[in-house]
């Protein structure tokens, strides 16, 4: 159900990371054809939001690791400093 709108929702979150599921659901209602999203879909949006945020955190951690590796340091070396 959310697949068609996932990219848009992720863009909203990228610009406004503090958005709540209620705010996302409201925007989805404005974007989608009438009746596509109702109050019953809030829990679905909450679950998706949690997964999207976890994915963003994993990507951020991976990026930090790549940057650390690019500088020739390991996590152990950084901790020792």
């Amino acid at each position: 159900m959310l697949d068609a709108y996932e990219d848009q929702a992720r863009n909203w979150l990228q610009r406004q990371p503090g958005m709540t599921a209620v705010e996302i659901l409201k925007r989805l209602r404005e974007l989608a054809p009438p009746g596509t999203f109702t109050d019953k879909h809030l829990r679905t949006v909450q679950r998706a939001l949690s997964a999207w945020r976890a994915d963003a955190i994993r990507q951020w951690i991976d990026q930090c690791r790549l940057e650390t590796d690019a500088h020739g340091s390991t996590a152990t070396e950084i901790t020792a400093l």
Side-chain angles (χ1 to χ4, degrees), residues 2 6 10 13 24 42-54:
L2 288 174
E6 182 176 349
R10 285 180 183 259
L13 286 170
I24 291 173
L42 179 59
R43 184 68 184 126
T44 300
V45 174
Q46 288 171 330
R47 285 189 206 114
L49 178 58
S50 179
W52 296 335
R53 285 190 170 138

Side-chain angles (χ1 to χ4, degrees), residues 22 32 46 56 63 79:
V22 171
Q46 288 171 330
Q63 182 64 34
T79 304

Side-chain angles (χ1 to χ4, degrees), residues 14-80:
Q14 192 171 29
R15 284 184 260 129
Q16 295 178 303
M19 285 185 74
T20 66
V22 171
E23 293 168 329
I24 291 173
L25 182 58
K26 181 181 175 186
R27 287 190 183 190
L28 288 170
R29 285 181 179 158
E30 294 168 358
L31 185 66
T36 302
F37 294 101
T38 66
D39 289 341
K40 293 181 181 182
H41 295 105
L42 179 59
R43 184 68 184 126
T44 300
V45 174
Q46 288 171 330
R47 285 189 206 114
L49 178 58
S50 179
W52 296 335
R53 285 190 170 138
D55 186 47
I57 290 168
R58 279 190 294 276
Q59 288 177 12
W60 179 75
I61 290 170
D62 289 344
Q63 182 64 34
C64 289
R65 285 183 180 150
L66 288 173
E67 289 173 7
T68 300
D69 291 346
H71 295 314
S73 302
T74 64
T76 305
E77 291 171 342
I78 292 171
T79 304

